Every structure is written in C-alpha cells, then in structure tokens.
Amino acid sequence: MSKNLFNKIWDSHKIASLNSGQDQIFIDLHLIHEVTSPQAFGMLRALGLKIAYPQRTFATVDHIIPTSTLKRPYQDSLAEAMIVAIKENCEEFNIKYFSPEEGSQGIVHVIGPEKGLTQPGTTIVCGDSHTSTHGAFGAIAFGIGTSQVRDVLATQSLALGRLKVRRININGKLAAGVYSKDVILHIIRVLGVKGGMGFAYEYGGSVIDAMSMEERMTICNMSIEGGARVGYINPDQITFDYLQGREYAPAGEKWNEAVTKWKSLASEADAEYDDIVNIQAESISPTLTWGINPGQAMSIGEKIPTLEQIKEEDQGTFEEALEYMKLEAEKPMVGLKINVAFIGSCTNGRLSDLEEVAKYVKGFKVSSNVKALIVPGSMQVKREAESKGLNKIFEEAGFEWREAGCSMCLAMNPDKLQADEICASSSNRNFKGRQGSPQGRTILMSPVMVAAAAIKGEVTDARQLFKI
Amino acid sequence: MLDNYSKSKIVLITGASGVIGNSIVNLLSEDNNLKLLITGQNEVKLKYLKSELNNVLAYLAGDLIDYKFREKLISSFSEEFGGLDILINNAGIYTWSSIDNLQAEQIDKTLDLNLKAPIHLCHLISQGLKKKKWGRIINIGSISGSVGEANASLYSASKAGLIGLTKSLALELAEYGITINSISPGWVKSPLSESVFGDENNPLNEKDEIDCVPQKRWIEPSEIAHLVKFLISEPACGLTGQVINLCAGLSLG
C-alpha cells in the first residue's frame, strides 16, 4: 500500500510535530479577501509583526463589492471603507492585489486557478470555507478563520490535525444534461452534510477523470458542504494542460521539472484510504435542493421525501426545512414558481459554466415574473465571455449581465432576495437567510437548470425545455 | 436520560465578532436545535458569520455601552423571534492600567460594558425566561475577578461584579428552571490578551506569563466554547450559580 496524495503533501509540508498532537504545516499559498483580512492585519500591527513571506499572499475583493456598478465611491459606505482598507493593507505589507482599480478582481477561488497560482502538491489557505475549490488541482486547500489568517501572515504556517482520507469513486458515464454540480449535490445527499467531518475527500473514477478543470473545481468547491474541509482530485494531463502558460505557473525548464514532480504526487492505484465510497454515474440525475442545507436534495424527477424516507440523522431539520421553504412532502419541485434566478459564484461562475448556459438560452426569453442575474466569477471571465459574445446572448434573453463578485451567493452586497422570494441558484449554500432576506428561499441546482427555471418562471427539467 | 433540548432554543451571543465570541458562535451553530442571534461591534464580521454559518438567524451591530442599544437589541429580537431562551454575556474589554493612571472615562466604559450591560440584559430577558420556566445565562468573566490582577483593578472589579451577579441571580431564578453560571478564563489567545503584551509600557512578556501557567499554555477560545455548550445543555440543569475557572491551572496559585 502506498501513500495517497493528501499524506504525501502533508508529510512534505510538515515543519514539526507539536505536543498537542497537531502538526505545524507550511502554507505555500495564502489568498485573502476584503472581509476576513482587516482584523488579521490589525492584530499584526498591534503585535508589531511583519508578514513572513509577502510574496506567498495574494489579495482580491469579492464578497462585499457591488456587481451592478464599478462607480466609486460605492453606495454602501462600509463596502467602500473595506475596499479602501484592503488596498492600504496590501500596499503597506507589500502584497500583490488583484484590484478593481486595475480591473483584475474576482472571486478569490476563481482568480487563484486562472492566474496559475493554484498548483498541484501545494498547501493553500484562505479565510473562506470554499477554499476547497483549489483541491481540484491536487492541492490541500481549506478555509481558515481570521486568527489563522493572522497566523499565516505572521509565520506562513498553521497548527493542524491530520485528516483521514475518503476516496469517492464515481464510475460510469453521466447522462446528457447531468453536470458536475449534480454530481456533488448527489454525493452530499448520499453522504450527508456532516458525513465528511474529519475527512479529506479524494474524488476519482472515470467520471472525474473525464472532467475539465472547471468541472472538477465545482466538485471540490462544495466538499465543505458535505462536512469535508478538504476535497481534491489527483493531478493529470488535464490539470497540466490547464496550467501551462498561465501567469504564475512555472515556465521554461521549470515547467518540465514541475510536471515530473506533480506526477509523482498523485495517489497510486494501491494507495491506502481510511474509507472508500463508490457511486455509479448512471444513478445521478439533475439534482436540486428542497430544504435548508445542501444535503436536502432530490432528483428533478422525484417528489419531496417524507420524514420516513430520509436518513435518521437528517430527520431533526426535516419539518423545519419544509416549514421554512413552504413546501410539502410528496409533492414535486417541478412547477414551483420562482422569483429570482442567479447564475454565478465560486461554484459555477466560470467561463465554461457561462458557455454552457449560452448554448441553450439563445432564442429564449426570461419569464416576465423572474429577475435573472448572470455574474461572472472574475473580470477575466467577464472579458473572455464578452469577447465570445456571451453577454449579448444573455442580455437578449433578458438576463442582467454584471461585473465580477460573489453577488447573491451570500448577499453581503446589494444583491439580495426580498421577503420570501424563491431563488433558483447556481451557488453552494441554501441556509436560511443566506441570500439576504430572513425569509428568502434558495434552491441549489446547476447553471443550466437555473437558466431553464428563469425561462419557464418555475422549476423545470432543463433536459426537456432545451431538448438536451 | 436527559435529552439535549426538547425543542429548539433561541440564543443571544454578545461580542460575537471577537475571537472568543466567534468561537462560541462557530461551535453552537453546528447544533440544529440552537438558533443563534449575534451582536457585536464589527458589522461586516457579523454579516459574514451569518452568511457562512447555518443556524445564525440574525445579527445586529452596535455598542452595548449604550443602554438604548441594549433595549433595542432585546426588543427587536424578541419581537421577531419570540423571546430568548439563552443569553451568553461574552462582550468585554480589558483595561490595563495602574490605579494612578486610570482615567474617569475608562472607569465608566469598562464598567458599562463588562458589568452594567450583562446586568441590564439579564433584566431585559428575565420575565420572558420566567414565563417559559426555562433559561440559561452564561457570563464570561475572568480569573482576575476572583484572584485579582495587579494593574488591572478596574477590569478585575468589573469581572468580580459578574460573580456577584451570577450567584445572586442563580438564587433568585432557581425555582423557574433558569440556571446562571460564569466561566472565568485565564490567559486566552485573543487580540485582547495580545494587546496587553504588545503594549510597550507593559513589563510582562508572553513567555514570562506562560511560564506562570501550570499547564504552560494559553487557553484556546474553543475550550471556552465547549464549556458554554455544556453549560447551556439540558443535562447541565442542576449546575447553577457556579463560577468555573478555565485557566490551565493559573488560578491555583
């Protein structure tokens, strides 16, 4: 039995074993954004500390920045103050900042990969729980709290307990109209929202092998929604092809050296795991949530389950979920009227997500009862989409086309649901009030399913509407 | 066996945007039976906690020094969520100063936040808890309140006051199924303690201080969170009026 990728990276990044039983782990890459960093900088200043390796930290703004306009000052004075603060902090501490001033901002988990910062075999942290996204490249990537942001700035290391590793094989072939978002929603539904606690998830199998990097990022992004702080995929030729030529990727001779090293890190066929789960691709249909956590999900063709049909561990929130969502057991989700449609976020705001949506919405119109937004994950995604004319297709169909940011995924900015509006959303969390209104309701699904719901004005099977 | 909560409970946590408060909010949010309301001074941090964590129902940013804010906090949350079940008085400030150098303003501010705010919040929710015949109040104090601390007389006095509040209210509300307890941490790794070591007028340094602790370590914020979780649980119903020193042995002298 050989070591899996997680343990290889862990062992090569271990600085010391601590008396607490934890290990001190070196952090290769630290990404920061405007919301979880200001206090950490404040603490550094109070302690009179410098940043250990400023060249290993990269900053951008995504959470609080409005996406409807780039005009300064922003209407929300708090947003303006935070975006001024991160700029000043980056200048003072000599940190590279992908900024609105230079039009290079975007969601932190979209920017890392597109700049080539996210690389196989590295440890990556960010003060945001969806940092697991970067695991798609064969990295150990996870979210940290503000005091850990401070610790990484000051020491470029963290005290951490080693995780167990669960291999999740998805074999077979996905049917047409079934996307990586459906795969991860299905996995969370099967294993539960707490099933991954204490584990890193290693995703593999023929379905994962065939996926593009952007599809893999969608899978790894939502690992945390299944309780796993870390989710990763072994690096392969698809990974290397994606990275080659990107701004911060190794170049020239260093590229070949890097690829050789990266190849050696992937888990071998005889790698040891703490647990293995097998899922057959043919069992996955377009999947959407009916409840208030991402595990409360069903196939589009199914009916909302009854209390008896769900796992005992999930029964506690069953009635609360139906009451909040104003839904009933044994009813279909198909036909449920929606008010808002949101395509974007660190889960599904990349170019290929937008291209897939554009492919189908051409010639359709968004329902007059629906407010529909498409928010690119980064300014680079925005520019690429515009160069391909996607924005025109979207706008002609009645979608709003925005600047880059987190937007309605978490409603820390002006994009919010009102009262008990229902939103078909390509984002990652459907917690109560997540999208800004204390009564707002979120239904998670793939971008193409969101587009179909926007056009019909109700939850619908995108495969039928778009004849996929 | 006592089940942990027969129905879901509404919890208010003050000082939620600080390190200890943050840790408490993080841990309690994992329990679907607890619905959290949070307050603190850092609005963005509160907003972020609400969007990041399940079971955080609402936040209200403001300064608990202002008694009008306390009234607004309790009345708006009670109106919207039907009254609290659990109050965690966590907000506080540390004032490091010799008695000679104390400023009158500092005295007011420290006592207002560390002592008057918890008393006032208890007052504002006591009738509601009595009606429900169930309640939990946790006061986050400090071992300085019981063993004393040089150059922190003001802070220690405010935290000693919390002990009086805890014991007296525990007696007064015992027959209503309401328990009140206090957690007194020793040195906790937080900006509050680090600001003390970062102060150039302070002769103490971090290493000397840790050498005085029998376990030779800081208390982690999560240790406080775990104790809070137990004290507000159903099985802790017989524990009231107690002051628990969570200090890695520091209070033993």
Side-chain angles (χ1 to χ4, degrees):
Chain A
M1 297 283 257
S2 63
K3 268 200 266 184
N4 56 49
L5 174 132
F6 179 89
N7 286 321
K8 287 185 204 174
I9 298 179
W10 189 276
D11 292 341
S12 66
H13 286 71
K14 189 162 113 179
I15 300 166
S17 299
L18 305 174
N19 289 338
S20 62
Q22 293 177 303
D23 292 329
Q24 185 187 7
I25 297 292
F26 186 78
I27 302 301
D28 293 307
L29 175 66
H30 184 202
L31 302 167
I32 60 173
H33 59 81
E34 74 275 31
V35 173
T36 50
S37 66
Q39 278 181 311
F41 283 111
M43 290 185 244
L44 275 193
R45 279 197 197 93
L47 290 164
L49 292 173
K50 298 251 178 298
I51 296 186
Y53 296 90
Q55 71 277 21
R56 289 185 179 272
T57 294
F58 293 82
T60 192
V61 286
D62 52 11
H63 283 66
I64 210 166
I65 190 170
T67 59
S68 51
T69 174
L70 292 171
K71 203 165 150 259
R72 302 287 287 266
Y74 302 122
Q75 257 186 345
D76 177 0
S77 58
L78 199 58
E80 180 64 28
M82 298 206 73
I83 287 163
V84 168
I86 195 164
K87 181 168 185 280
E88 289 174 355
N89 285 328
C90 289
E91 282 168 2
E92 180 182 339
F93 290 97
N94 201 19
I95 291 169
K96 170 67 189 167
Y97 173 40
F98 300 110
S99 69
E101 286 81 1
E102 58 178 44
S104 57
Q105 82 276 17
I107 305 176
V108 65
H109 310 311
V110 176
I111 288 222
E114 78 184 8
K115 302 283 181 207
L117 288 165
T118 302
Q119 294 174 15
T122 57
T123 50
I124 304 175
V125 297
C126 173
D128 187 275
S129 52
H130 295 105
T131 307
S132 55
T133 312
H134 306 265
F137 291 77
I140 299 183
F142 52 91
I144 56 176
T146 298
S147 52
Q148 289 174 306
V149 172
R150 171 205 58 194
D151 295 348
V152 175
L153 289 173
T155 70
Q156 205 60 39
S157 67
L158 282 172
L160 299 166
R162 193 188 285 259
L163 295 169
K164 291 186 283 186
V165 181
R166 172 178 292 145
R167 166 85 179 188
I168 302 175
N169 290 309
I170 303 117
N171 282 311
K173 198 166 182 303
L174 292 177
V178 178
Y179 295 98
S180 57
K181 180 64 161 284
D182 302 308
V183 174
I184 187 64
L185 283 171
H186 183 83
I187 290 172
I188 298 168
R189 176 189 179 186
V190 171
L191 297 177
V193 288
K194 291 187 176 175
M197 285 170 90
F199 281 96
Y201 279 176
E202 178 181 300
Y203 304 98
S206 59
V207 169
I208 301 289
D209 291 344
M211 279 182 177
S212 70
M213 285 316 295
E214 297 197 345
E215 291 172 309
R216 293 177 184 183
M217 284 187 243
T218 301
I219 301 270
C220 291
N221 171 275
M222 288 188 69
S223 302
I224 184 66
E225 305 305 332
R229 278 180 82 191
V230 168
Y232 69 88
I233 291 166
N234 286 300
D236 60 9
Q237 197 56 44
I238 293 173
T239 319
F240 311 143
D241 290 345
Y242 176 95
L243 276 172
Q244 193 165 20
R246 288 188 188 260
E247 192 178 347
Y248 288 87
E253 259 180 46
K254 285 194 173 157
W255 171 258
N256 293 330
E257 283 169 30
V259 170
T260 308
K261 185 183 155 205
W262 294 341
K263 281 183 179 165
S264 74
L265 291 170
S267 304
E268 306 281 341
D270 68 341
E272 193 173 359
Y273 299 101
D274 299 283
D275 190 28
I276 297 177
V277 172
N278 293 305
I279 289 172
Q280 204 52 38
E282 288 74 13
S283 66
I284 308 174
S285 304
T287 301
L288 73 170
T289 58
W290 52 265
I292 52 173
N293 70 51
Q296 291 174 325
M298 57 190 258
S299 296
I300 185 73
E302 285 180 297
K303 292 186 170 137
I304 297 171
T306 61
L307 182 65
E308 295 72 31
Q309 286 166 342
I310 58 174
K311 280 188 289 188
E312 205 180 327
E313 65 193 73
D314 298 329
Q315 290 183 352
T317 54
F318 178 78
E319 279 171 18
E320 182 188 350
L322 287 186
E323 191 184 334
Y324 182 83
M325 295 299 291
K326 300 182 182 165
L327 294 172
E328 281 176 55
E330 296 184 276
K331 294 268 169 70
M333 289 289 282
V334 170
L336 180 69
K337 300 273 180 243
I338 65 154
N339 310 99
V340 178
F342 170 61
I343 294 172
S345 85
C346 59
T347 314
N348 281 124
R350 296 185 177 79
L351 187 64
S352 58
D353 296 310
L354 306 186
E355 285 175 321
E356 190 69 12
V357 170
K359 194 163 103 187
Y360 293 114
V361 302
K362 214 171 184 173
F364 284 100
K365 287 274 180 223
V366 168
S367 160
S368 57
N369 301 320
V370 173
K371 176 187 168 72
L373 307 183
I374 299 186
V375 185
S378 71
M379 292 306 278
Q380 185 172 322
V381 170
K382 180 174 191 248
R383 284 189 289 269
E384 284 172 355
E386 288 177 354
S387 73
K388 289 171 182 268
L390 305 187
N391 57 320
K392 294 217 171 66
I393 296 172
F394 297 146
E395 282 170 340
E396 271 165 29
F399 289 90
E400 286 179 41
W401 175 243
R402 294 294 192 85
E403 308 296 335
C406 298
S407 180
M408 204 181 261
C409 173
L410 82 175
M412 287 190 74
N413 47 64
D415 298 327
K416 291 182 172 67
L417 295 184
Q418 304 297 319
D420 67 349
E421 281 182 336
I422 300 184
C423 179
S425 181
S426 75
S427 56
N428 44 51
R429 281 202 176 138
N430 53 339
F431 295 167
K432 285 180 172 180
R434 166 81 175 180
Q435 291 187 294
S437 162
Q439 292 87 36
R441 294 173 283 171
T442 304
I443 306 171
L444 302 177
M445 56 183 88
S446 71
V448 170
M449 283 277 287
V450 174
I455 288 160
K456 278 206 85 169
E458 59 187 40
V459 173
T460 191
D461 189 336
R463 295 173 299 184
Q464 288 168 12
L465 180 68
F466 297 135
K467 303 194 170 50
I468 301 176
Chain B
M1 189 189 148
L2 290 163
D3 275 346
N4 209 1
Y5 311 119
S6 51
K7 65 185 219 17
S8 70
K9 305 292 184 193
I10 303 279
V11 190
L12 171 62
I13 300 154
T14 71
S17 50
V19 168
I20 295 174
N22 200 328
S23 187
I24 295 171
V25 174
N26 266 292
L27 185 70
L28 299 189
S29 72
E30 290 172 9
D31 187 337
N32 288 324
N33 286 311
L34 299 176
K35 301 300 164 195
L36 312 184
L37 308 173
I38 58 177
T39 181
Q41 295 212 61
N42 184 335
E43 187 179 355
V44 174
K45 192 79 203 240
L46 297 176
K47 214 177 196 184
Y48 189 66
L49 281 174
K50 183 179 175 302
S51 73
E52 275 289 282
L53 300 174
N54 208 350
N55 298 315
V56 177
L57 296 191
Y59 69 88
L60 193 62
D63 191 348
L64 284 170
I65 285 176
D66 177 4
Y67 76 89
K68 286 189 183 141
F69 174 70
R70 299 173 208 148
E71 289 171 350
K72 182 180 154 203
L73 181 72
I74 299 299
S75 67
S76 66
F77 279 164
S78 299
E79 211 169 281
E80 196 172 346
F81 303 101
L84 304 183
D85 301 290
I86 299 169
L87 168 65
I88 298 164
N89 281 313
N90 166 66
I93 41 170
Y94 183 82
T95 313
W96 189 85
S97 168
S98 69
I99 194 75
D100 299 346
N101 292 334
L102 272 181
Q103 311 279 325
E105 261 180 9
Q106 277 181 314
I107 300 174
D108 280 346
K109 192 177 164 190
T110 306
L111 291 179
D112 280 349
L113 184 63
N114 291 8
L115 185 57
K116 288 191 204 168
I119 296 173
H120 193 198
L121 291 175
C122 288
H123 159 75
L124 292 169
I125 65 162
S126 61
Q127 291 189 10
L129 296 185
K130 280 181 179 176
K131 268 188 213 146
K132 293 185 180 188
K133 295 221 170 283
W134 197 95
R136 297 279 184 270
I137 297 171
I138 307 294
N139 297 316
I140 306 295
S142 161
I143 56 165
S144 307
S146 44
V147 302
E149 183 187 351
N151 295 311
S153 52
L154 170 59
Y155 176 74
S156 305
S158 70
K159 295 299 188 182
L162 277 185
I163 297 176
L165 173 71
T166 302
K167 293 187 171 178
S168 307
L169 260 191
L171 285 169
E172 188 175 333
L173 301 178
E175 61 185 292
Y176 299 98
I178 302 166
T179 70
I180 299 104
N181 292 289
S182 178
I183 298 173
S184 293
W187 282 110
V188 180
K189 211 157 179 55
S190 76
L192 190 147
S193 56
E194 288 173 359
S195 68
V196 182
F197 296 124
D199 186 332
E200 57 187 24
N201 298 316
N202 187 347
L204 296 174
N205 67 44
E206 190 174 330
K207 190 179 170 302
D208 293 346
E209 193 66 26
I210 290 301
D211 277 347
C212 304
V213 180
Q215 289 185 353
K216 308 287 179 218
R217 66 177 186 92
W218 300 80
I219 293 292
E220 292 294 329
S222 63
E223 296 179 72
I224 300 170
H226 281 281
L227 184 54
V228 168
K229 188 178 175 184
F230 173 68
L231 290 174
I232 63 173
S233 71
E234 208 59 69
C237 58
L239 229 167
T240 191
Q242 301 305 307
V243 178
I244 301 169
N245 295 334
L246 179 53
C247 59
L250 185 57
S251 66
L252 296 171

